[in-house]
Amino acid sequence: MPGIQNVLGSAYIPDTAEVRYFVYPQAKTKADEILAILKKAGCKDGRSSYVKPSAQDVATSSDISTHFEVWFGKNSFGPQGKQ
């Protein structure tokens, strides 16, 4: 599993938690299960999202059907503080 990456400024950062999956529709159920675990852990909202896998995604994951990414927005676990 790759480590945590701070992509601020270099990627689309969702406004809420997002579990990304790369094989539709087969992986959607598992992505929804992961999202449910996050919500039980205190994540206030979120969504699962299909992402068409890039060549890099396919090269990185030996089985793209079990490859998931969890992204958190600034407000995933509470209101955004003053900046």
Side-chain angles (χ1 to χ4, degrees):
M1 173 194 291
I4 295 172
Q5 297 174 321
N6 182 347
V7 294
L8 186 60
S10 64
Y12 165 74
I13 299 172
D15 55 345
T16 186
E18 186 173 283
V19 178
R20 297 179 182 177
Y21 60 97
F22 299 86
V23 177
Y24 181 83
Q26 296 89 338
K28 181 168 179 18
T29 300
K30 187 57 73 175
D32 290 340
E33 290 174 13
I34 294 168
L35 184 59
I37 292 167
L38 294 173
K39 288 182 178 181
K40 285 181 184 177
C43 189
K44 67 178 193 170
D45 55 14
R47 64 181 170 259
S48 59
S49 300
Y50 168 72
V51 176
K52 183 177 179 181
S54 68
Q56 181 178 355
D57 292 329
V58 174
T60 302
S61 181
S62 61
D63 184 357
I64 198 70
S65 66
T66 60
H67 181 120
F68 298 89
E69 293 181 358
V70 178
W71 291 66
F72 294 106
K74 292 180 181 178
N75 298 322
S76 294
F77 288 93
Q80 183 175 347
K82 293 182 180 181
Q83 295 185 0

